[in-house]
Amino acid sequence: MLEVRDLHASYGHGDVLHGLNLGIAKGSITALIGANGAGKSTVMKTISGLMKPTQGTVRFMEQDISGVGAERVVRQGLALVPEGRKVFAPLTIAENLEMGAFQYLIKRDTSRYQTQLEFVLELFPKLKERMEQVAGTLSGGEQQMLAIGRALMSAPKVLLLDEPSMGLAPLIVKQIFEALATLAAQNLTVFICEQNSEITLRHADYGYVIESGRLVLAGRAEELAADARVKEAYLGG
Ligand SMILES: Nc1ncnc2c1ncn2[C@@H]1O[C@H](COP(=O)(O)OP(=O)(O)OP(=O)(O)O)[C@@H](O)[C@H]1O
Ligand SMILES: [Mg+2]
């Protein structure tokens, strides 16, 4: 579904990604585990078109999407839930969700918009109760649900999530992962990067471990979770 080959990326002072190869299968939950500064967000930004790779390719459904730009990547069917959620704080929940559906609203495709809205509100009923609440006043967990909902409004085939568990209580994190499992069961492809390896690997099918811009381990999620090196580095021994 999504294939990353020999990916290099840089912020101008040498590469921070040094030739990554990743494969993300349709309908799977695939995890990228790594510590602070390992390069997780850089991987997400290059896949979602926010950054151009300095070398290598990103292929999505047999098409090369490397460097085509974020807007075209969304139109192709990939949506990013960014690190720190980045909801539009002064806008209401309803308006945030509309922003996620701009590609349909701009064409006045209100039926597509309605379908996606119903889908999102069924997944996160909490949002439905507060459509007119300003996003900046929501709790962290509600903002994360909104950020995921906003991404889903574009009707993506692949959902990319950058550390969705960050700063959230364990119960909320569990709810977020359950929602992701529901989506994957409906054949949505989920690619998620996290430091929180325990819950992530428990929900993932396949995982990769990144250190200093290089992949150091890859395997089925339950094998990775049981791997002594992963336990030592990411599961607190
Ligand atoms: N805007 C930037 N300008 C310069 N260097 C950057 C920038 N963003 C990230 N980096 C560097 O790139 C490397 C990878 O950073 P990245 O944000 O991808 O890591 P991460 O795994 O997402 O970390 P975290 O868990 O803290 O979010 C780090 O060395 C970081 O300092
Ligand atoms: Mg990051």
Side-chain angles (χ1 to χ4, degrees):
M1 183 85 174
L2 187 62
E3 221 181 72
V4 170
R5 284 287 159 258
D6 191 33
L7 188 70
H8 292 250
S10 165
Y11 294 97
H13 307 279
D15 284 353
V16 297
L17 300 181
H18 307 277
L20 266 59
N21 295 301
L22 300 161
I24 293 131
K26 187 166 195 271
S28 73
I29 299 184
T30 302
L32 178 67
I33 303 295
N36 281 126
K40 303 181 298 299
S41 294
T42 308
V43 170
M44 290 303 184
K45 285 188 268 183
T46 47
I47 292 177
S48 59
L50 294 168
M51 268 176 84
K52 228 181 160 130
T54 50
Q55 195 181 313
T57 55
V58 180
R59 291 180 71 80
F60 173 57
M61 293 171 70
E62 314 300 318
Q63 257 188 302
D64 189 349
I65 58 161
S66 357
V68 301
E71 195 181 327
R72 272 189 60 192
V73 169
V74 172
R75 285 182 200 279
Q76 297 269 350
L78 283 95
L80 172 69
V81 182
E83 182 176 86
R85 318 186 242 283
K86 307 263 175 19
V87 295
F88 302 108
L91 303 186
T92 63
I93 290 185
E95 289 164 342
N96 268 273
L97 293 175
E98 279 174 25
M99 299 295 272
F102 79 92
Q103 59 174 330
Y104 301 120
L105 290 174
I106 213 163
K107 290 187 287 189
R108 315 221 168 215
D109 187 349
T110 46
S111 81
R112 190 66 188 264
Y113 165 73
Q114 277 301 335
T115 309
Q116 286 312 113
L117 187 62
E118 279 162 32
F119 176 73
V120 167
L121 297 181
E122 194 181 325
L123 186 69
F124 297 124
K126 258 194 174 165
L127 298 179
K128 196 175 185 168
E129 298 158 17
R130 319 160 165 232
M131 289 294 274
E132 298 312 315
Q133 187 173 334
V134 165
T137 63
L138 296 170
S139 72
E142 290 159 356
Q143 288 192 16
Q144 189 64 67
M145 289 173 196
L146 178 56
I148 295 172
R150 180 182 56 187
L152 291 173
M153 287 299 291
S154 68
K157 298 182 181 78
V158 179
L159 187 65
L160 307 165
L161 299 109
D162 192 343
E163 289 206 56
S165 83
M166 190 193 273
L168 301 181
L171 185 66
I172 308 292
V173 173
K174 190 165 167 268
Q175 288 172 7
I176 299 281
F177 274 91
E178 279 165 6
L180 298 179
T182 303
L183 293 168
Q186 295 170 21
N187 219 17
L188 187 84
T189 305
V190 177
F191 183 47
I192 176 168
C193 72
E194 265 292 347
Q195 296 193 46
N196 188 341
S197 64
E198 192 173 357
I199 189 158
T200 307
L201 291 176
R202 211 182 311 137
H203 286 84
D205 302 294
Y206 200 84
Y208 296 91
V209 178
I210 182 172
E211 276 176 23
S212 306
R214 289 185 170 84
L215 293 181
V216 292
L217 280 172
R220 281 160 39 97
E222 59 258 41
E223 286 165 9
L224 279 186
D227 190 292
R229 288 163 292 181
V230 174
K231 279 187 176 167
E232 194 184 337
Y234 305 99
L235 299 174

